[in-house]
Amino acid sequence: MDRRKLDHDDLADDVPAFLLGALDAGTCDAVSKHLDDCPTCKEEGRRINEAIGALGVLAPSAKPPADLRGRFLSSLQSEEPPDIETETIRAVTPLWIRLGLIIAVILVVIISWIVLLSR
Amino acid sequence: MIASPCSESTLSNLSDQDLIERVIARDHEAMAALYDRYSRAVYSLALHVVHEQRAAEDVVQDAFLTFWQRPQSYIPERGAFGPWILRVARNRAIDLLRRGSREHIKDDDRGYTFEQQIVDPEPEPSDLIWNRTVAARVREALTELTGPQRQVIELAYFRGMTQSQIAAYLDTPLGTIKTRVRTALSRLARIMAEEEIWTDAS
């Protein structure tokens, strides 16, 4: 790769190929960073991405296997983020520990107080 | 809870954005409705890239499951959901293609081309209306490009070739290929933005 510093136009020229995944390794990181930093290229990138997505409908139509939907929907069950029950257990456990500690501290204070008074 | 067939009919009237908001609220039925709306297009694209049923199924599962796990990765301000999920799927399919053997790509009989699609736009009867509409508009947009421009986009898009691979494949200088890719995609993007090619599937 050319080692001179890439200017805006060089990077902007590579944006379409980068988004298409057709850019050869070398300038990919620089283009990616430029897309984050340059509002003009970001907007152009947004439009190019829309076009790239829309091109996908040109693939010859094929029917997915009948059981694919069912498999996907069952996988939702196992890919559930932590549910309310788990959250509740997590929230409750420290509360019990905290309550236990508070009671223990109070007991220690009372016993010490009684011991001190009885001297 | 797994979505029941009855719920689909009511949810299928909702816009993509309404369904996405429900998915963010962990609504399985909304996820099923989005899946029903786009899975055929996603599967067709994946199969055309990877040429293998099992791999195409994996791409479909990955694309939708990724969205389910992180629905916030789709940012509505950046464009419609349809092109986004197709892009996610295509990226995954191209990754699989590049990781696997390229033998079958070399053996590709090049039977399917954009050229064919432009002159032979016969839709499958089972295709959803929105898919047919968008496909017809995309074909129309492609006619605005030159033949060589369509060819480079096709090689990159469906076969996952990089610009230097395309240059070698077509025995054409790399600079010429780069210009074609850049001009073709910028032009397509402009036409598609002006014509508002993508319609919400609802």
Side-chain angles (χ1 to χ4, degrees), chain B residues 26-92:
Chain B
R26 315 319 293 159
D27 182 337
H28 286 212
E29 291 177 4
M31 187 65 245
L34 268 178
Y35 180 90
D36 290 340
R37 204 168 276 180
Y38 291 105
S39 56
R40 186 178 177 118
V42 169
Y43 178 76
S44 302
L45 172 57
L47 187 64
H48 191 60
V49 171
V50 298
H51 292 279
E52 199 185 286
Q53 186 184 320
R54 284 304 300 270
E57 290 174 19
D58 288 346
V59 170
V60 174
Q61 303 288 63
D62 274 5
F64 284 100
L65 210 51
T66 302
F67 172 66
W68 171 253
Q69 287 163 335
R70 291 190 58 241
Q72 289 86 354
S73 56
Y74 164 66
I75 299 164
E77 292 74 28
R78 293 196 192 156
F81 180 78
W84 179 82
I85 193 82
L86 285 170
R87 225 166 48 243
V88 169
R90 177 186 169 262
N91 289 345
R92 178 84 186 116

Side-chain angles (χ1 to χ4, degrees), chain B residues 83-116:
Chain B
W84 179 82
I85 193 82
L86 285 170
R87 225 166 48 243
V88 169
R90 177 186 169 262
N91 289 345
R92 178 84 186 116
I94 297 287
D95 280 349
L96 286 180
L97 191 66
R98 287 179 178 166
R99 251 188 279 153
S101 156
R102 295 192 68 93
E103 289 312 304
H104 66 285
I105 308 168
K106 288 176 194 154
D107 293 343
D108 197 328
D109 60 4
R110 305 181 71 189
Y112 170 84
T113 63
F114 282 163
E115 304 297 331
Q116 252 181 355

Side-chain angles (χ1 to χ4, degrees), chain A residues 46-47, chain B residues 144 186-198:
Chain A
R46 192 192 61 74
R47 291 193 301 161
Chain B
E144 305 270 327
S186 300
R187 204 162 167 190
L188 267 185
R190 199 175 55 247
I191 298 166
M192 291 189 189
E194 281 165 6
E195 310 271 322
E196 291 186 356
I197 277 181
W198 194 271

Side-chain angles (χ1 to χ4, degrees), chain A residues 105-119:
Chain A
V105 168
I106 291 170
L107 281 174
V108 167
V109 169
I110 291 170
I111 291 165
S112 313
W113 187 62
I114 292 169
V115 169
L116 278 173
L117 276 185
S118 65
R119 282 195 178 167

